[in-house]
Structure formats: C-alpha cells, structure tokens
Amino acid sequence: MSAASLAGRTVLVTGGSSGIGKAIALAAARAGADVAITFRANAQGAEELQRAIGALGRRTSAIHLDLGSEASLADLGASARRALGCVDVWINNAGADILTGDGASLSRIEKLDRLIAVDLRGTMLASWQAAEMLGAQTGGGVIINMSWDHVITGMAGQNPELYSAVKGGILAFSKSLARSVAPRVRVNVIAPGFIETGFGERADERWRREVVEATPLQRWGTPDDVAGAAVFLASPAAAFLTGQTILVGGGVVM
C-alpha cells in the first residue's frame, strides 16, 4: 500500500461540487477514501460527482452547506458522520467567488464582507468544529485549509488586497490552530496560485500568456495539481507535518 493511500479513511471536502474541490474529492476517492462533499448552489455538479465517486467503488454523500451561515454549518460534522460513519480528514475548500458571476459586480466593501463571512469566518468555524470532533475520536485526524500563495509576497490590485487579507488570515489562524490541537489533530494549509478554474478559464488571453511567462514551470496549474497536494497532506506520508503550507503555484512564489 502506498504511503499516500487513503484506504479505510473518510474525507470531507467543502465546496466539492466543482473546480478544486471536485478534483480533491475525486483524488481522495481514487486513493481509497470514502468521500463526503458539500455544495451550496450546484446540486447538479454534486450529483454528478457522487456518481463518479460511486463508480470508483467508494461510498459518498453530498451535503447542502452555506458556509456563510452559522446555522447551516452547525450540523456539518454530524451530517457527514451519519452518512459515512466517521470523518478522518476535513478539508475546508469552500469559499466565496468575487471574481466571476454576481460577485464580480459587488462593491469593494461588499466583496470584503462576503470574503470575511465565508472564507475567513466560515473556515474558522468549520475548523473549530472539525478540531473538536476529530480530537475526540480514537485516531485523531487531519484538517486542511486553503489559502493563496501571494499572501506571502503581495500583489497589486483591489481584489488581491482583499484576498491577501482574508487568505492571509486563514494561513495565520491555521498555524495557531495547529499548535492548539497537536498532537491529536494535524492542521496544514494549501496555498494555490494561478489555477485553471472558472476565473482562469475566462481570463484575457494576453494575461494568461503573461502568467505562463512569469511562472518558472511555464504553465497554469490545474485542480489536479492542488488535489495531489491535498491527498499527500491527508495521508500517512505527511504524518510528521503540521502547521505547514504547501504552495501550489508553479514557483511564482518561492
């Protein structure tokens, strides 16, 4: 069995109906895990992902979640347990979209409020719930939170300023949480860079080329690149890692 195997484990992925979350959920299932996902609006995507995970011979469940709602979040861990029996790995991937759709037209303050409510506050509440639940079970567990590689170096622009504040908060919070809950629970962070999700796919072609030219590995990242890091951190191969951040950005930030 590979050291990065997730056989016999159950993984919860928030925001799992599309993009990076979908890739993580599928990668976890391929590594042998049963997988619970959450979705907010994309019920069809959640159903399609459940079928794909089921086709891999893994058990799965889809749970409706509005990460910005404390009431919606309150029963998440219990819901996953009822569906699949336990949760060994809790991955806080869900976040607000301020780059595409109606989010792109919000004012600066409205974007900030949405990011704080969903990405920062939502991740913190979910992490506290996960830490309490995982810490109380026999085998402990793993929490993985999502940040952004440019929180380390900064990037000019209104949206980068917003993301830097919120995603930087997640990174700093996760380091403190890792110290609080060790050794029962490991807490690590993935900080993706330029990834081929909805925003990247719709971006201006000239800017897309500029990103490639600025990236040492000479391409945009894919959701599967991020998923590979998530499976590693969730697995026994990362058993001696906590409070760490993996940058998945092709070397743009080092």
Side-chain angles (χ1 to χ4, degrees):
M1 184 180 295
S2 166
S5 170
L6 298 179
R9 302 195 176 198
T10 299
V11 176
L12 169 63
V13 184
T14 68
S17 60
S18 63
I20 289 172
K22 177 180 179 180
I24 292 173
L26 282 171
R30 292 187 185 111
D34 295 327
V35 183
I37 63 166
T38 75
F39 69 96
R40 186 181 65 84
N42 188 9
Q44 180 178 342
E47 291 173 4
E48 292 172 353
L49 179 56
Q50 281 188 283
R51 287 195 292 271
I53 292 172
L56 294 169
R58 310 312 310 165
R59 295 185 302 147
T60 184
S61 175
I63 302 165
H64 181 264
L65 173 69
D66 179 355
L67 191 58
S69 165
E70 187 173 349
S72 180
L73 182 58
D75 194 47
L76 176 55
S79 295
R81 272 184 165 172
R82 284 193 295 268
L84 299 179
C86 69
V87 175
D88 302 295
V89 179
W90 185 310
I91 303 176
N92 289 310
N93 167 76
D97 182 5
I98 63 164
L99 301 178
T100 65
D102 68 328
S105 62
L106 296 175
S107 71
R108 178 171 58 183
I109 300 300
E110 288 170 332
K111 287 181 177 180
L112 175 61
D113 288 345
R114 181 174 292 189
L115 287 172
I116 289 174
V118 177
D119 291 57
L120 182 56
R121 186 173 186 271
T123 294
M124 291 178 70
L125 293 179
S127 294
W128 285 333
Q129 183 181 153
E132 181 177 353
M133 187 175 79
L134 299 180
Q137 61 193 28
T138 302
V142 177
I143 298 170
I144 300 173
N145 289 332
M146 304 297 287
S147 183
W148 180 43
D149 63 350
H150 278 77
V151 304
I152 295 172
T153 58
M155 176 186 286
Q158 176 180 295
N159 289 332
E161 289 170 7
L162 297 171
Y163 272 117
S164 293
V166 171
K167 295 297 189 180
I170 291 172
L171 190 152
F173 161 75
S174 299
K175 288 179 176 291
S176 291
L177 182 66
R179 292 186 180 276
S180 297
V181 300
R184 300 286 301 157
V185 180
R186 294 191 293 107
V187 183
N188 289 296
V189 177
I190 299 174
F194 294 110
I195 306 296
E196 290 271 18
T197 55
F199 172 70
E201 292 168 352
R202 296 181 181 90
D204 174 77
E205 188 58 36
R206 178 180 175 181
W207 183 68
R208 285 177 54 82
R209 288 195 303 270
E210 290 175 354
V211 167
V212 171
E213 292 167 1
T215 302
L217 294 186
Q218 292 290 287
R219 66 174 176 87
W220 279 67
T222 68
D224 285 340
D225 291 320
V226 183
V231 169
F232 165 68
L233 288 175
S235 75
F240 203 52
L241 292 180
T242 196
Q244 304 305 306
T245 303
I246 294 182
L247 309 182
V248 185
V252 174
V253 177
M254 294 186 179

